Amino acid sequence: MLSNTEENYLKALLYLTTDEAGKKEAGTNDLAAHLGLKPATVNDMLKRLKEKAYVSYKKYGKITLTRAGRDIAVFVMRKHRLWETFLCEVLAFSWDEVHEVAEQLEHIQSDKLTERLDKFLNYPDYDPHGDPIPKPNGKMPPRATTLLSSVAIQQSCTVAAVKDTSSVFLQYLEQLSIGIGTKIRVMEKISFDGSVILQVGKEKITVSEKFANSLLVD
Amino acid sequence: MLSNTEENYLKALLYLTTDEAGKKEAGTNDLAAHLGLKPATVNDMLKRLKEKAYVSYKKYGKITLTRAGRDIAVFVMRKHRLWETFLCEVLAFSWDEVHEVAEQLEHIQSDKLTERLDKFLNYPDYDPHGDPIPKPNGKMPPRATTLLSSVAIQQSCTVAAVKDTSSVFLQYLEQLSIGIGTKIRVMEKISFDGSVILQVGKEKITVSEKFANSLLVD
DNA sequence: TATAAAAGTTAGATTAATCTAACTTTTATT
DNA sequence: AATAAAAGTTAGATTAATCTAACTTTTATA
Ligand SMILES: [Mn+2]
Ligand SMILES: [Mn+2]
Ligand SMILES: [Mn+2]
Ligand SMILES: [Mn+2]
């Protein structure tokens, strides 16, 4: 059985080598930065994970997850997102508070618990941030890919996910009464700095380009 | 912040030095046996816990929890029992399956989670085994103390708690349709071997002395 | 292409948690 | 009280996970 630490490495690798982080390959430094560790530390751990056949790489080369490694990482991600959903929907946590606790809960080892939790939550497809929750077979519901910034003027859309899950951003969204499912109409784009003027409910608000690049919509 | 391991030592000490285990004092060997470790290992850890002022003892002497140590142990126990209750009541686990998972969940660090869980469960006083759940202030609801074996003939009583939480016993109780709250009438006691004949619902059943010493009643 | 910068690796150290084997102190039994 | 047994401690080793400092390889750029 894997340690929490090993699971965290695999999860970080999954993140770094999938769409989310942009790139398809990950190196020692990327991992170290993502996990808040030193490259030397990561290098040691990678040797162990390679030994156990969870990752694959050659000296000085890029790192990829093996099938076994990816399966574990996906399962940890499944647990993380199910717990985040539980915390929000059942225990009334706000969406900026759940991540830290889910980081711990994702390591609880009990298949029965995971499956019962999934059932209790009525088999959700997305977590509170709009991220897809992997199914028991490892398949993922489709992830929204359209950025708010790419929506044409006068078009309407629905918030599907947040690309940035930092507390500051999530709390700002809260303040603007924007959440998953909120309808937004793009009114105007300012060429000068990329700002966008949106219609949200009865309110007209102006947001930055950075903001418009951090929201995914349908 | 304490490691899971340290929390387990403190919880074991709480158990060993309270009513439950009979004795009031605990030694290195007791602790080692209870935790499935070697005395040498426990000795090392005790030095660290003493250093951190969670336990108190002198060389070759008996060990006791300090106020700080006991507070932590009680809080871990609170979490353990709340999670067991959650697993049974909300996720439909049976009472012989919850302990193992609760052993993991009891170490999740989030006061907010604990308090929200308590609220969600409607502030339960007892866990699925009839053990009292400590309140946030550390106070415990009263624990049942009457053994089924001490109930007089022709007296009726209600099952309040199990003294033995092993799977075999819990599953046996299940099979006999006996759970917390079940009404039992003591019909007869066999002097030869201490067996007891009980009336449970419409059934008349005979149980061993060991059995009668493992159930607590009101 | 030569060299500097970035990325990755190795060596050596530290801390927590565990073990075995040997030793010391306390307690129980003759 | 003497001695045997039990309980507790110490010494020395191991493994996982981390670090710093120094070194090597790869990549970028002048
Ligand atoms: Mn984690
Ligand atoms: Mn999430
Ligand atoms: Mn535990
Ligand atoms: Mn219990």
Side-chain angles (χ1 to χ4, degrees):
Chain A
M1 228 217 310
L2 295 188
S3 66
N4 289 10
T5 308
E6 289 170 312
E7 288 191 343
N8 285 336
Y9 275 86
L10 296 181
K11 192 163 64 101
L13 269 168
L14 179 65
Y15 173 79
L16 290 170
T17 59
T18 325
D19 33 325
E20 295 179 73
K23 8 169 61 184
K24 263 261 147 318
E25 301 195 303
T28 310
N29 283 293
D30 302 322
L31 256 181
H34 191 74
L35 292 168
L37 299 169
K38 300 296 166 179
T41 303
V42 170
N43 191 254
D44 268 7
M45 176 60 92
L46 285 173
K47 282 184 204 160
R48 274 176 271 158
L49 292 173
K50 186 183 183 179
E51 180 60 39
K52 295 187 183 177
Y54 294 123
V55 306
S56 162
Y57 70 99
K58 45 197 174 333
K59 231 192 200 185
Y60 296 104
K62 294 300 173 187
I63 306 138
T64 51
L65 287 166
T66 61
R67 180 62 204 270
R70 192 171 47 256
D71 285 352
I72 288 169
V74 167
F75 186 57
V76 173
M77 195 167 76
R78 169 169 162 76
K79 289 189 283 182
H80 184 103
R81 291 177 180 169
L82 283 173
W83 279 115
E84 283 192 345
T85 306
F86 171 78
L87 294 173
C88 276
E89 310 243 304
V90 183
L91 299 189
F93 275 61
S94 65
W95 67 350
D96 59 302
E97 298 172 318
V98 296
H99 185 77
E100 189 189 13
V101 185
E103 272 307 310
Q104 298 177 62
L105 287 163
E106 71 188 0
H107 302 292
I108 302 292
Q109 310 275 180
S110 166
D111 288 359
K112 185 166 217 162
L113 173 56
T114 308
E115 301 325 312
R116 291 282 173 94
L117 188 63
D118 194 15
K119 182 180 184 185
F120 177 65
L121 297 171
N122 207 26
Y123 308 107
D125 282 342
Y126 298 94
D127 85 358
H129 310 105
D131 288 319
I133 301 174
K135 296 299 169 188
N137 63 11
K139 287 261 159 40
M140 303 245 290
R143 166 187 292 286
T145 51
T146 313
L147 287 174
L148 174 59
S149 55
S150 73
V151 175
I153 289 171
Q154 292 311 326
Q155 284 273 278
S156 277
C157 58
T158 307
V159 176
V162 289
K163 242 195 131 175
D164 175 342
T165 56
S166 66
S167 279
V168 260
F169 183 52
L170 296 179
Q171 281 167 16
Y172 181 37
L173 286 169
E174 199 79 13
Q175 189 184 317
L176 297 172
S177 304
I178 295 175
I180 306 297
T182 301
K183 269 223 137 164
I184 290 180
R185 187 180 190 86
V186 175
M187 304 306 285
E188 198 181 336
K189 292 181 180 189
I190 311 297
S191 329
F192 171 60
D193 59 4
S195 293
V196 184
I197 300 176
L198 308 171
Q199 178 86 44
V200 180
K202 296 177 206 343
E203 297 288 317
K204 198 163 270 173
I205 61 171
T206 305
V207 300
S208 69
E209 181 167 32
K210 182 177 179 191
F211 183 104
N213 277 322
S214 301
L215 269 192
L216 291 161
V217 300
D218 285 328
Chain B
M1 229 216 311
L2 294 189
S3 66
N4 288 10
T5 308
E6 289 170 313
E7 288 191 343
N8 285 336
Y9 275 85
L10 296 182
K11 192 163 64 102
L13 270 168
L14 179 65
Y15 173 78
L16 291 170
T17 58
T18 323
D19 32 325
E20 296 181 72
K23 12 168 56 184
K24 264 263 146 315
E25 300 195 304
T28 310
N29 283 293
D30 303 321
L31 213 39
H34 190 74
L35 292 168
L37 300 169
K38 300 296 166 179
T41 303
V42 170
N43 192 255
D44 268 8
M45 177 60 92
L46 286 173
K47 282 185 203 159
R48 274 176 271 156
L49 291 173
K50 185 183 182 179
E51 180 60 39
K52 294 186 182 177
Y54 293 123
V55 306
S56 162
Y57 71 101
K58 45 197 174 331
K59 231 192 201 185
Y60 296 103
K62 294 300 173 187
I63 306 137
T64 50
L65 286 165
T66 61
R67 179 63 203 270
R70 192 170 50 255
D71 285 352
I72 289 168
V74 167
F75 187 57
V76 173
M77 195 167 76
R78 168 168 162 77
K79 289 189 283 181
H80 185 102
R81 292 178 180 170
L82 283 173
W83 279 116
E84 283 191 345
T85 306
F86 171 78
L87 293 173
C88 277
E89 310 244 303
V90 182
L91 299 188
F93 275 60
S94 65
W95 67 349
D96 58 303
E97 298 172 318
V98 296
H99 185 76
E100 190 189 13
V101 185
E103 272 307 309
Q104 299 177 61
L105 287 162
E106 71 189 0
H107 302 292
I108 302 292
Q109 309 276 180
S110 166
D111 288 359
K112 185 167 218 161
L113 173 55
T114 309
E115 300 325 312
R116 291 282 174 94
L117 188 62
D118 195 15
K119 182 181 184 183
F120 177 65
L121 297 171
N122 207 25
Y123 308 106
D125 280 343
Y126 297 94
D127 85 358
H129 309 105
D131 288 319
I133 300 174
K135 297 300 170 188
N137 63 12
K139 285 262 160 41
M140 304 245 289
R143 168 187 291 287
T145 50
T146 312
L147 288 174
L148 174 58
S149 56
S150 72
V151 175
I153 289 172
Q154 292 310 326
Q155 283 273 278
S156 277
C157 57
T158 307
V159 175
V162 290
K163 241 196 132 175
D164 175 340
T165 56
S166 66
S167 280
V168 261
F169 183 53
L170 296 179
Q171 282 167 15
Y172 181 36
L173 286 169
E174 200 78 14
Q175 189 185 316
L176 297 174
S177 303
I178 295 175
I180 305 298
T182 301
K183 268 223 141 165
I184 290 179
R185 187 181 190 86
V186 176
M187 305 306 285
E188 199 181 336
K189 292 183 178 187
I190 311 297
S191 327
F192 170 60
D193 59 4
S195 293
V196 183
I197 301 176
L198 308 172
Q199 178 86 43
V200 180
K202 295 176 209 336
E203 298 287 318
K204 199 164 270 173
I205 62 171
T206 306
V207 299
S208 70
E209 180 168 32
K210 183 178 179 191
F211 183 104
N213 277 322
S214 302
L215 269 192
L216 292 160
V217 300
D218 284 331

